[in-house]
């Protein structure tokens, strides 16, 4: 063996340039062969041992490319190890190649770890509790730390210096680094608070009017939260704003199973009056009112009998009003409606009258939180109430329109 090495050395000395170029070709061939063996033989064996196929992983949205990235380390190690064996190469060139390959190895490992963390996040997002406790922000923070460490190690490898020397100089740059990464630090604190306090989740309906955001949360990251608005646009909000700015989260409504209806009908106050006996008998035709009117008549009759002679004057007696009867009808209508949640509060009340009429507010909850169904139930209720108001002798108040003005003008101009 020693004789063969001696012959090789003597041949290299006699054919220096040829030996150098031949050595470079052999080195590059060996690195290519190592890369081929690792990627096409060893990696396939690993996938087979794990029972995985690349096409199946892509269909499932799983990225195992970190394995192939780690395979790139092998040819770099081959070059850095065997570059010293090539004769007549300048020492400076050999050192530069070794330093560059070492930096390349560090970068490759960092990128592989980044891909591995992405895979971890993809696997975690398949869990049922992933929406309530996302880890994407922490994954992004770990990636930042990995790349920061990789940059220090790469610089140390390129200049052939110990990384401790570079780290010792970071103390003086701490203030500068905190200034540069202040948004990252603030976002990190906000992400921890959002996750620990369960402030928002992916899929929550969030409303933040000051930032023109009103829609579903589709992504929670370290620096930003993405909200898809109802007009299908996407609003990107800094994560820390969810800890400093007020916003509304509709998750409680969605979890309760009922969505609130709070809307008023503006009534003309001049149409409020007492009901006559004939009108009371006519309203008893309503299935929802017969029992109410019978009980009300008995109550009022007993009250008025206690007045004795004073009860002869109508001004001293209690009587049934059309507005009170309508309120009773609306409440019973809500109690019998199939789209109203019967386990939540139901109320029909008068608000303070104004120049726009007397507001009669309907306050209840639907038994669905779906937007389209909710609007349909609400519209059906008010369609019915507006249509049945004349049966009670009530009128809806509205400001005069242009058609009203023209009709009055025609009436005044008529002979």
């Amino acid at each position: 063996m020693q004789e063969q090495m001696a012959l090789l050395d003597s041949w290299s000395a006699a054919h220096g340039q040829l030996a150098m170029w031949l050595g470079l070709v052999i080195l590059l061939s060996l690195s290519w062969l190592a890369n081929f063996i690792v990627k096409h033989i060893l990696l396939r064996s690993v996938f087979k041992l794990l029972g995985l196929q690349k096409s199946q992983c892509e269909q499932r949205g799983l990225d195992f490319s970190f394995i192939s990235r780690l395979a790139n380390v092998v040819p770099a190690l081959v070059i850095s190890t065997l570059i010293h064996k090539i004769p007549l190469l300048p020492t400076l060139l050999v050192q530069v190649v070794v330093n560059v390959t070492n930096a390349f190895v560090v970068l490759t490992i960092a990128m592989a770890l980044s891909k591995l963390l992405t895979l971890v996040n993809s696997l975690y997002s398949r869990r049922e509790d992933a929406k309530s406790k996302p880890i994407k922000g922490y994954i992004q923070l770990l990636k930042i730390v990995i790349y920061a460490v990789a940059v220090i190690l790469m610089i140390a490898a390129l200049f052939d210096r110990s990384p401790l020397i570079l780290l010792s100089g970071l103390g003086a740059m701490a203030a500068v680094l905190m200034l540069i990464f202040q948004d990252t630090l603030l976002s990190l604190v906000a992400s921890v608070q959002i996750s620990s306090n369960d402030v928002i989740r992916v899929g929550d309906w969030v409303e933040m009017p000051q930032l023109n955001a009103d829609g579903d949360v589709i992504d929670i990251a370290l620096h930003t939260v993405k909200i898809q608005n109802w007009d299908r646009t996407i609003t990107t909000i800094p994560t820390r704003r969810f800890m400093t700015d007020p916003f509304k989260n509709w998750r409680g409504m969605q979890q309760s199973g009922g969505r609130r209806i709070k809307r008023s009908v503006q009534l003309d106050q001049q149409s409020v009056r007492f009901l006559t006996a004939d009108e009371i008998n006519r309203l008893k035709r309503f299935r929802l009112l017969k029992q109410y009117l019978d009980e009300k008549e008995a109550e009022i009759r007993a009250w008025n009998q206690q007045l004795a002679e004073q009860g002869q004057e109508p001004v001293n007696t209690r009587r049934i009003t059309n507005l009170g009867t309508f309120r009773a009808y609306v409440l019973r209508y809500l109690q019998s409606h199939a789209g109203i949640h019967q386990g939540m509060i139901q109320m029909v009340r008068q608000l303070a009258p104004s120049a726009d009429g007397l507001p009669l507010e309907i306050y209840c909850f639907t038994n669905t939180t779906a937007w389209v169904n909710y609007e349909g139930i609400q519209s059906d209720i008010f369609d019915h109430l507006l249509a049945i108001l004349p049966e009670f002798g009530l009128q809806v108040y509205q400001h005069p329109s242009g058609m009203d003005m023209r009709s009055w003008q025609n009436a005044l101009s008529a002979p």
Side-chain angles (χ1 to χ4, degrees), residues 28-42:
L28 294 176
S29 300
L30 288 176
S31 63
W32 176 85
L33 181 61
N35 185 58
F36 179 82
I37 293 174
V38 173
K39 284 190 175 180
H40 293 81
I41 298 177
L42 295 181

Side-chain angles (χ1 to χ4, degrees), residues 377-390:
I377 294 172
Q378 182 173 234
S379 299
D380 288 342
I381 291 174
F382 281 88
D383 288 347
H384 177 77
L385 297 183
L386 292 173
I388 207 169
L389 265 175

